[in-house]
Amino acid sequence: MNKAEESQGRRHYHCAVGVGVSAALMVTVTSLYPLYRHNATPKAPLPPLSKIPFGSKVPAASMPVDLHSKNSVDIVLAHYNENLTWTGEFKKVHPGVNFNIYSKSDKKVSGGNITEYLPNVGRESHAYLHHIVKNYNDLADWTIFSQAAEPAWGFFSMQESGHMCSGSKFEDYLEPQKEGWYMVYTVASHFPDGSQNDRLDMMFRNKTAVASTCPVRRSEGWGGWWFESSHPTIAYQKTQKNAPSPLEFYNKYVIATPGLQTFESLTVTFANGARFAVSKQRIRLRPKSYYEDLLEQVSWHADPIQGFYLEAMWYDVFHPMQPQGLFGDPCEVPQLPSPVKTHAEMYRSAIKKFLDFMGVSQSQIRRSGALNILEESDAYLRAPE
């Protein structure tokens, strides 16, 4: 990885090991599922965390967002060397949003109004946490956190990746949700073994898909569990020997709840590329000191393993009363099989699963040379780095 990839997490680790499939153009499918959206219904102020029974849902009515406020929506971008011209065009269409761009570039940036230059440490997590700590008492009602590449479908290895799932648009994140949270879940990870599972609509493009936070086909919408020892959450043991394990980090710094059980295994679902939106009320379910502790954890290295952990654990950071380790995942994910496939094995079966759902046979793929049939996120073809 170069510095840009280290800082902004070009996630080559959700990738396959050499699969002989040519990337080409498109599968078209008509989805029968409705768009997943919520409307904010602001009412009562949010009760303090200490007054909410553990395991209860924070009342949706307690997550007010003033859409008419001048500073109601912030977009926080973690930047290294991505092209920022898209932000100006986006601002023209959505003049009510405020961009907060934190750059880790070692050169003066043009094409975007940089809010602050930061040291090149901690991946995107460092920029996100810096913003929260700095603005804890003056947060926007609704904040979108994202890497700085222009939002677009897919996950690519040799170019900027927009990290959008099929059917999703960046504008979806602008609409405040009544529960104070919005994330499109495209990856699942299981710890302590480090197995991974990728969403089919992120691996392969479906232009007619509708926006949904979880796969509309539920557990059938995932590519399948895979394991590679070169994945960062495994390989860190050789390169960052003093770093905590995923479960040590989860228990001590993410859950961070005295008296709560220690989790010895868990599955977490999250967004490849660490994009999500959250209300200030949900952020403030945790004290400022909580985010300061997390910030310290990612500030020691340009590419700390804690940054990878946080990408997988943001849901639990902002849902202290419903951690995935205790209450399960927000999406229905297939059970972990035994044995788990290699990434190459998973990728071959995922292609078949996707094409079967589209009603396209592999013989059609061979006869057409894959043209106009299949468009892949090519980073999934690469071995984890």
Side-chain angles (χ1 to χ4, degrees), residues 143-340:
T143 302
I144 300 99
F145 293 88
S146 178
Q147 295 178 18
E150 182 175 3
W153 172 80
F155 172 37
F156 299 94
S157 57
M158 303 306 291
Q159 65 192 68
E160 293 183 3
S161 293
H163 291 292
M164 297 297 292
C165 188
S166 298
S168 295
K169 305 183 301 296
F170 194 62
E171 285 79 1
D172 297 339
Y173 294 79
L174 297 181
E175 182 178 339
Q177 307 296 298
K178 64 182 181 181
E179 66 269 32
W181 175 253
Y182 186 79
M183 173 181 273
V184 178
Y185 304 93
T186 56
V187 187
S189 293
H190 185 270
F191 301 115
D193 63 286
S195 297
Q196 309 291 319
N197 202 333
D198 299 287
R199 184 169 171 171
L200 286 172
D201 278 345
M202 186 72 174
M203 298 174 69
F204 310 108
R205 190 170 192 175
N206 171 10
K207 269 196 168 182
T208 60
V210 295
S212 61
T213 58
C214 295
V216 293
R217 296 176 63 212
R218 306 178 70 173
S219 64
E220 289 298 309
W222 298 90
W225 288 102
W226 59 271
F227 173 85
E228 294 290 345
S229 61
S230 54
H231 190 280
T233 57
I234 303 298
Y236 83 93
Q237 298 173 47
K238 297 180 180 179
T239 60
Q240 299 179 26
K241 296 181 179 180
N242 295 324
S245 71
L247 287 172
E248 287 172 341
F249 183 81
Y250 182 79
N251 287 320
K252 183 174 181 179
Y253 296 103
V254 176
I255 295 301
T257 303
L260 188 62
Q261 70 182 77
T262 297
F263 296 98
E264 298 181 355
S265 67
L266 76 151
T267 300
V268 290
T269 52
F270 58 98
N272 181 312
R275 178 180 290 125
F276 56 88
V278 62
S279 70
K280 67 181 179 183
Q281 286 82 6
R282 187 164 285 285
I283 293 174
R284 290 177 183 162
L285 286 173
R286 305 279 198 179
K288 182 179 178 180
S289 59
Y290 172 85
Y291 299 104
E292 291 172 334
D293 289 342
L294 288 176
L295 182 59
E296 182 179 359
Q297 281 293 303
V298 298
S299 297
W300 67 280
H301 193 281
D303 197 28
I305 190 60
Q306 291 95 326
F308 288 92
Y309 297 162
L310 276 172
E311 181 187 14
M313 298 173 184
W314 284 118
Y315 176 94
D316 296 74
V317 167
F318 298 111
H319 291 78
M321 308 321 301
Q322 303 98 32
Q324 294 184 76
L326 194 59
F327 292 91
D329 311 296
C331 298
E332 184 178 332
V333 181
Q335 290 188 341
L336 195 70
S338 180
V340 175

Side-chain angles (χ1 to χ4, degrees), residues 11 62 100 136 204 211 222 288 302 332 355 365:
R11 304 293 196 259
S62 300
N100 295 264
Y136 188 82
F204 310 108
W222 298 90
K288 182 179 178 180
E332 184 178 332
L355 293 177
I365 294 283

Side-chain angles (χ1 to χ4, degrees), residues 27-90:
V27 166
T28 300
V29 61
T30 302
S31 175
L32 302 178
Y33 296 89
L35 189 68
Y36 178 91
R37 299 310 296 265
H38 286 299
N39 295 317
T41 54
K43 290 183 180 179
L46 183 68
L49 183 59
S50 60
K51 301 296 184 182
I52 304 174
F54 188 80
S56 65
K57 289 188 175 182
V58 177
S62 300
M63 297 292 178
V65 178
D66 182 4
L67 296 178
H68 303 289
S69 170
K70 181 180 179 181
N71 297 313
S72 64
V73 179
D74 274 2
I75 298 175
V76 171
L77 298 182
H79 173 264
Y80 181 74
N81 66 356
E82 298 91 340
N83 188 327
L84 292 170
T85 56
W86 71 272
T87 61
E89 296 303 312
F90 193 88

